Amino acid sequence: MDLARSPLALPFPAIPPIDGVTLRIARARYKEWDRCDLTFAELAEGTSVAGVFTKNVCCSSEVELGREQIKGGSARALIVNAGNSNAFTGYRGREAVEQIMGQVADHLGCATNEVFVSSTGVIGVPLPKDKARAGVEAVLDAQPCGWEDATNTIGTTDTFAKGAHASAMIGDTRVEIAGIVKGSGMIAPDMATMLGYIFTDAAVSPAFLQECLSAANRQTFSCITVDSDTSTSDTVLAFATGKAGHAQLTSFDDPGADAFMAALHDVCRELAHLVVRDGEGAQKFIAVHVSGAVSDESARTIGLAIANSPLVKTAIAGGDANWGRVVMAVGKAGEPANRDTLSIGFGGHWAAREGQPVEGYDEAPVAAHLAGQEIDIAVDLGMGDGRASVWTCDLTHGYIDINADYRS
Amino acid sequence: MDLARSPLALPFPAIPPIDGVTLRIARARYKEWDRCDLTFAELAEGTSVAGVFTKNVCCSSEVELGREQIKGGSARALIVNAGNSNAFTGYRGREAVEQIMGQVADHLGCATNEVFVSSTGVIGVPLPKDKARAGVEAVLDAQPCGWEDATNTIGTTDTFAKGAHASAMIGDTRVEIAGIVKGSGMIAPDMATMLGYIFTDAAVSPAFLQECLSAANRQTFSCITVDSDTSTSDTVLAFATGKAGHAQLTSFDDPGADAFMAALHDVCRELAHLVVRDGEGAQKFIAVHVSGAVSDESARTIGLAIANSPLVKTAIAGGDANWGRVVMAVGKAGEPANRDTLSIGFGGHWAAREGQPVEGYDEAPVAAHLAGQEIDIAVDLGMGDGRASVWTCDLTHGYIDINADYRS
């Protein structure tokens, strides 16, 4: 199925090279397609690594191995296979991953657990070892490429390439952070996985890199939803080559650590938003801002209940300021809420305040807001200081087209 | 919007009168429509009552009051308003309910807390007291009517009338159980609520009636889902008039109690299935049978994760035996599961056994099964004895049409 470019797509940004990172792509022909589908990022010696992974219990071998590997804290290579997720393939799938790790480690002269592997695509078919072996051989010899080519190569049914960039000053040293991502939850028929990769020339200890990535993840990748479904392979890895040459960051007490954290957070948020913008059938980008909850975590749970509600998402698709459905979604979240202190608004206009419809509520400006592509929903619980923002897209006929009307 | 009759609709069954129950309907004109929208069930003195209610925190005044009223254990009347859910209407909504309770109690010479009120329809508009008063006045004087008329009157955007009947022998006494229900989750724009009412001439103590209803509810109404959204007003009430004249049932030790429980369970399951059959846009009725879980409750949670997954529901809509999406849904449920002991089948055919695709899997009989209207998904966790069945419908363009393309 040819998927039309998302109406919410953004152009690929200018991203500078990251010192210590070399990108290469090749054709492994995991599917019958005429495109590159194997990506190799070679990382300088001394690169720190951190990662966050899907909570899905039926995760892939890649995710199981990755969780173990990041404990070592050190990375020399990333391999991404597109077209086959290698999930639910038992020991045969695991052997294919271990073969790739060994092959790359031999080439680089590094430890196998410094080679990180991700796969994305069809579920239930073991990654073919022969295609993987030939593909890796080709990619090790390939010419270096740029960010956009690598991003297109990790994609499957993505309708546009998704990248982000930020920089930060650590003392007098400017460091760069580049990020690329593919996916939008579970994408098209038989296709799975959000995969995100962040590369920086900053010098960061593995433990602190993990602390920063986990913190950023909680407020970015963990605050987006397309359809509430959780892939078996979701992975975000961060690599810090240290080539910028400043003193290594090891905690928030170090000068420049806050600036680095802020820039990393920016990249993660931008990548997370781009995934939503490529959500299946998305016509509108929806930000849900929850305040007044009893805690930040409670606010996030309530925000996700709203963002996952098919009735809220279809109402927004229809341009309908249906705050009753938002009330319903708040109430079903299972978090502390009080109907009589609850306020709900759209695009800066309150529709209901403290448990009552607003007197003389003028729907015209709200309708104008909802006719646009960028939608804001505000919910104030009136109970405490907890707040969170989550992001999603609307639920449209396009989603049904992609997921029901056609089998890849 | 005129909604087409569901392709999964069943004819309204023959339901005998229940001794001690008199049904009447009238026009309160809660909306601008030419139909009856107020239902009154008069109940004989000595009627026991039990109830289960939505867990939505932002519930209606009717639900708040009903939860308190069932503690009294006694009922003389049920009033159901259609066209206005009276939810999120603050003290004004509560006053309207209390007015109805007082008016009916005065007429019957009973206590106000023996008058149960439900409302279903638009959210955020207080039930108009003048219309309610005139409507109740009219209904108290109306001629008795039958089950199908009453069922049509409690409906809002239901596309067919939903009723069920069973009988049981308690010693030498035959007792009848009648049930009616409206809704399918949150129905059409601004319409909310599943409401179910069960009437029997059996003699049952309030406490035991509650025990039976709660047990039946856990395996029936609590095991269906249309779109994972939870109404602010969901209510199921059971009334036992005692007119059958046998010795009152007070526990499962009483002769006939098991037969009564089985018949009540049958009525609840049939009503629950009918709600799914009127699910928005439903083209297929889906049963998900989970076995081998660590507990029944764990099996139910996993079943609901599958039944609520938009990707599973769209796959079924497209006739796609996409067992990878079922794996994904099992894994995201957060319950104990082991990828390597997991089996998944459709219509009696295993697609994957113990963590591996079945060798030589023949998709033809599975495709034939999925082309039908009644779909079975089987999941075996291979871990324990826990089992559960849940029921849902597919996710189609009809759902989007109803919820996004039109505002009522």
Side-chain angles (χ1 to χ4, degrees), chain B residues 30 60 62 79-87 97 100 117-121 127 192-193 195 197 233:
Chain B
Y30 290 122
S60 66
E62 284 82 340
I79 295 281
V80 183
N81 305 299
N84 184 323
S85 80
N86 200 35
V97 182
I100 292 172
V117 180
S118 301
S119 302
T120 175
L127 195 72
T193 308
L195 299 177
Y197 306 104
S233 312

Side-chain angles (χ1 to χ4, degrees), chain B residues 174-189:
Chain B
R174 178 188 169 98
V175 301
E176 309 290 349
I177 304 178
I180 62 176
V181 69
K182 65 89 46 180
S184 67
M186 298 266 300
I187 306 227

Side-chain angles (χ1 to χ4, degrees), chain A residues 56-57 59 88 92 186 190 228-229 309 311 318 320 322-323 328 331-332 339 356 363 397 401 404 407, chain B residues 56-57 59 88 92 186 190 228-229 309 311 318 320 322-323 328 331-332 339 356 363 397 401 404 407:
Chain A
N56 194 304
V57 177
C59 64
F88 211 69
R92 286 177 292 175
M186 296 269 297
D190 292 347
S228 82
D229 279 334
S309 163
L311 288 170
D320 180 3
N322 197 320
W323 57 268
M328 173 281 300
K332 81 168 187 172
R339 192 187 55 201
Q356 304 268 355
E363 207 172 294
H397 283 292
D401 283 337
R407 186 174 188 191
Chain B
N56 193 302
V57 177
C59 64
F88 212 70
R92 285 176 294 174
M186 298 266 300
D190 291 347
S228 83
D229 279 334
S309 162
L311 288 169
D320 180 2
N322 196 319
W323 57 269
M328 173 281 300
K332 80 169 188 171
R339 192 187 55 201
Q356 303 268 357
E363 206 172 296
H397 283 292
D401 283 337
R407 184 172 188 191

Side-chain angles (χ1 to χ4, degrees), chain B residues 260-275:
Chain B
F260 174 75
M261 178 69 220
L264 179 70
H265 192 282
D266 282 351
V267 168
C268 290
R269 187 181 53 226
E270 179 64 17
L271 293 178
H273 287 192
L274 289 169
V275 170

Side-chain angles (χ1 to χ4, degrees), chain A residues 55-61 64 87-92 123-126 185-191 227-232 280 305 308-315 317-325 327-332 334-340 342-344 352-357 359 363 395-408, chain B residues 55-61 64 87-92 94 123-126 185-190 227-232 280 305 308-315 317-325 327-332 334-340 342-344 352-357 359 363 395-408:
Chain A
K55 291 177 179 167
N56 194 304
V57 177
C58 298
C59 64
S60 66
S61 292
E64 285 180 340
F88 211 69
T89 56
Y91 70 92
R92 286 177 292 175
I123 287 178
V125 179
M186 296 269 297
I187 306 229
D190 292 347
M191 292 291 192
D227 55 13
S228 82
D229 279 334
T230 309
S231 148
T232 48
E280 298 163 313
N308 278 326
S309 163
L311 288 170
V312 171
K313 292 156 76 86
T314 49
D320 180 3
N322 197 320
W323 57 268
R325 294 186 184 177
V327 173
M328 173 281 300
V330 170
K332 81 168 187 172
E335 290 295 315
N338 181 343
R339 192 187 55 201
D340 299 329
L342 180 60
S343 300
I344 290 163
R353 285 291 273 165
E354 297 181 351
Q356 304 268 355
E359 296 274 350
E363 207 172 294
L395 174 56
T396 69
H397 283 292
Y399 183 87
I400 308 290
D401 283 337
I402 294 168
N403 287 301
D405 291 359
Y406 187 92
R407 186 174 188 191
S408 68
Chain B
K55 292 177 179 166
N56 193 302
V57 177
C58 297
C59 64
S60 66
S61 292
E64 284 180 339
F88 212 70
T89 56
Y91 69 93
R92 285 176 294 174
R94 189 174 178 107
I123 288 178
V125 180
M186 298 266 300
I187 306 227
D190 291 347
D227 56 11
S228 83
D229 279 334
T230 309
S231 147
T232 48
E280 299 163 313
N308 278 326
S309 162
L311 288 169
V312 171
K313 293 155 77 86
T314 48
D320 180 2
N322 196 319
W323 57 269
R325 295 187 184 178
V327 173
M328 173 281 300
V330 170
K332 80 169 188 171
E335 291 295 315
N338 181 343
R339 192 187 55 201
D340 297 330
L342 180 60
S343 299
I344 291 164
R353 286 291 274 166
E354 298 180 349
Q356 303 268 357
E359 296 274 349
E363 206 172 296
L395 175 56
T396 68
H397 283 292
Y399 184 87
I400 308 289
D401 283 337
I402 293 168
N403 287 302
D405 291 359
Y406 188 92
R407 184 172 188 191
S408 68

Side-chain angles (χ1 to χ4, degrees), chain B residues 109-121:
Chain B
C110 69
T112 53
N113 73 354
E114 293 179 302
V115 179
F116 289 76
V117 180
S118 301
S119 302
T120 175

